[in-house]
Amino acid sequence: MKTYKCARRTVLLGGLAAFLSGCAGGSKFRSYNGPAVTRVRLYKGQRLLVLDGASSVLRTYPVGLGFAPEGHKQFEGDGRTPEGSYLVDRRNPESSFHLSIGISYPNEADIAFAEVQEKSPGGDIFIHGGPRRGIDPTNVQDWTAGCIALTDRQIEDVYAMVRDGTPIDIYA
């Protein structure tokens, strides 16, 4: 009888622990059933990301940028965040930065300019979360290599809301 009670208690406590751990962490993949995001706008000077719907602004987020935020990204390693019109072109659920969505930099004009200078335009520009849990990347101003940084919680929302093919306009 003692063995049965001990085993039952162990099973119950294990189940409770599993239930509570599921509640605490949750999934980084969120669902979104609201209006479609029709455009993303980034205002670099204001460090503000805007998600537009068909008739209104849906959400805004403060952001961190590349470590050299002034000016348009031109070359690999320059630390700048691009300016211009691009598309959201890919998703990375296994990102080193929690979650990330890709931006179609470089475009044809970016490539042509870099070629004339005999340099690489760089690439792999993303909107992504923070480098480590518990650190707010928007409080560590302009730490990326040219990407757009949000908190992990914010990128979870953006990842759920923004679809591949969504236009993104990046302003100085």
Side-chain angles (χ1 to χ4, degrees):
M1 191 63 133
K2 271 185 167 180
T3 306
Y4 172 73
K5 284 183 180 180
C6 185
R8 188 172 130 197
R9 184 177 303 145
T10 302
V11 168
L12 287 173
L13 290 175
L16 179 61
F19 172 77
L20 290 175
S21 69
C23 291
S27 173
K28 66 181 177 180
F29 301 104
R30 305 202 177 279
S31 60
Y32 175 73
N33 296 318
V37 174
T38 58
R39 181 173 70 152
V40 177
R41 292 178 286 142
L42 172 65
Y43 296 95
K44 289 172 52 177
Q46 297 162 337
R47 308 297 191 279
L48 185 67
L49 186 73
V50 179
L51 305 184
D52 290 324
S55 61
S56 65
V57 171
L58 300 175
R59 302 248 175 100
T60 62
Y61 300 96
V63 299
L65 300 173
F67 62 82
E70 300 299 318
H72 173 57
K73 181 168 194 62
Q74 296 177 321
F75 309 116
E76 184 174 6
D78 66 9
R80 293 179 176 161
T81 301
E83 296 170 0
S85 294
Y86 300 94
L87 296 173
V88 170
D89 66 350
R90 61 200 182 278
R91 311 169 87 60
N92 184 359
E94 300 299 324
S95 172
S96 298
F97 300 97
H98 194 60
L99 291 169
S100 61
I101 57 176
I103 297 172
S104 62
Y105 175 87
N107 61 26
E108 289 179 20
D110 298 320
I111 293 167
F113 179 81
E115 282 179 353
V116 168
Q117 305 298 314
E118 297 181 356
K119 295 185 177 186
S120 168
D124 286 337
I125 301 297
F126 287 87
I127 301 171
H128 60 67
R132 296 184 300 275
R133 286 221 172 268
I135 293 178
D136 179 356
T138 60
N139 285 336
V140 182
Q141 193 89 350
D142 305 331
W143 61 273
T144 76
C147 295
I148 301 157
L150 299 166
T151 66
D152 288 350
R153 171 63 191 188
Q154 291 167 336
I155 190 58
E156 290 172 4
D157 291 342
V158 172
Y159 194 91
M161 294 174 73
V162 176
R163 298 284 156 241
D164 289 357
T166 303
I168 177 166
D169 295 317
I170 304 172
Y171 304 100

